[in-house]
């Protein structure tokens, strides 16, 4: 039972354009959401988070949007850069447990 | 600060063998956790700990044991390795359960 779903396994975007990564969740008890970025042979690193009391959070080129009624969040990267090429994981907290999605591989090409 | 360290980086086991994956952090974090990453499955939570002496099960705990005798260390034990436990294992720590989690570099385990 996948509580956090990333339905697009991969995404390819041209440098300078917007990258939009999507995430859906099923558990309405989730109250805190995060995005992590992972390069090959490294551990995931924290990117940005959002509390369920907000619907948007920005940090530089990265913005996360939360739509609680749709149980959907998205990560926008503007402008996309080649160094953004990585696997992006959406994650959500259920009390003490941090549950991850399956990941989306983003490739930013010149 | 070394952050979160994991040893070994890579290990090959035979079915039925036991081993311990080590995880240590030097940030005085209370919350620590273990994940496994498999193709198409993302990161799945195995066990976690909210402080020394306190552990609990995650999404996929079967076949794994943990203990937390100190704040710094959170070892993961495989009692009798199975090929299904072939995976990349990540340890993470954070100041609290809802704070940013910092991940180690991972241990790649192959069970033959």
């Amino acid at each position: 039972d996948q509580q956090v779903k990333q339905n697009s396994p991969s995404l390819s975007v041209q440098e300078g354009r917007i990258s939009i990564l999507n995430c859906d969740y099923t558990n309405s008890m989730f109250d805190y959401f995060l995005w992590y970025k992972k390069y090959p042979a490294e551990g995931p690193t924290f990117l940005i988070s959002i509390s369920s009391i907000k619907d948007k959070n920005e940090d530089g080129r990265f913005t996360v949007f939360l739509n609680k009624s749709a149980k959907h969040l998205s990560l926008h990267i503007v402008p996309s850069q080649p160094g953004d090429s990585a696997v992006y994981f959406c994650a959500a907290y259920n009390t003490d447990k941090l549950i991850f999605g399956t990941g989306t591989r983003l490739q930013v090409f010149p | 600060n070394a952050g979160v360290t994991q040893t070994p980086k890579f290990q090959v086991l035979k079915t039925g063998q036991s081993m311990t994956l080590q995880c240590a952090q030097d940030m005085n974090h209370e919350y620590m956790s273990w994940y496994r990453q498999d193709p198409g499955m993302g990161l799945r939570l195995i066990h976690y700990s909210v402080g020394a002496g306190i552990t609990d099960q995650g999404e996929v705990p079967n076949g794994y044991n943990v203990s937390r005798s100190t704040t710094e260390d959170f070892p993961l034990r495989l009692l009798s390795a199975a090929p299904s436990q072939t995976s990349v294992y990540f340890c993470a720590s954070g100041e609290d359960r809802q704070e940013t989690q910092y991940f180690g570099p991972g241990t790649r385990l192959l069970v033959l």
Side-chain angles (χ1 to χ4, degrees), chain B:
Chain B
N1 283 354
V4 180
T5 57
Q6 292 183 237
T7 55
K9 289 190 186 327
F10 179 71
Q11 182 72 46
V12 179
L13 288 179
K14 293 182 179 178
T15 297
Q17 286 185 315
S18 63
M19 81 159 295
T20 300
L21 280 64
Q22 301 292 344
C23 174
Q25 51 92 8
D26 60 0
M27 298 173 282
N28 202 33
H29 286 166
E30 291 294 327
Y31 188 92
M32 295 186 74
S33 54
W34 276 102
Y35 289 86
R36 59 178 289 175
Q37 184 189 11
D38 302 292
M41 302 295 288
L43 290 156
R44 292 183 293 170
L45 180 64
I46 304 172
H47 285 286
Y48 65 98
S49 169
V50 300
I54 306 170
T55 63
D56 206 344
Q57 296 181 352
E59 302 171 272
V60 288
N62 292 341
Y64 307 94
N65 274 1
V66 292
S67 59
R68 183 96 180 270
S69 55
T70 67
T71 299
E72 295 77 21
D73 301 297
F74 191 43
L76 178 72
R77 297 183 189 84
L78 282 70
L79 304 176
S80 178
S84 61
Q85 293 179 303
T86 292
S87 188
V88 181
Y89 291 84
F90 291 99
C91 177
S93 75
E95 287 186 4
D96 198 349
R97 59 201 73 178
Q98 287 207 354
E99 296 296 320
T100 301
Q101 300 299 306
Y102 297 89
F103 282 80
T107 293
R108 186 174 296 273
L109 178 67
L110 175 62
V111 183
L112 302 175

Side-chain angles (χ1 to χ4, degrees), chain A residues 49-99:
Chain A
S49 63
I50 187 167
S51 166
S52 60
I53 62 173
K54 295 185 175 181
D55 54 17
K56 178 181 175 182
N57 188 28
E58 285 183 82
D59 185 0
R61 297 186 296 113
F62 302 92
T63 302
V64 57
F65 296 92
L66 175 62
N67 182 334
K68 289 188 291 293
S69 61
K71 296 191 178 69
H72 177 84
L73 65 158
S74 61
L75 174 68
H76 293 209
I77 306 173
V78 184
S80 300
Q81 300 173 354
D84 295 330
S85 297
V87 177
Y88 290 78
F89 290 98
C90 167
Y93 267 106
N94 179 6
T95 57
D96 293 342
K97 300 179 184 178
L98 182 59
I99 307 298

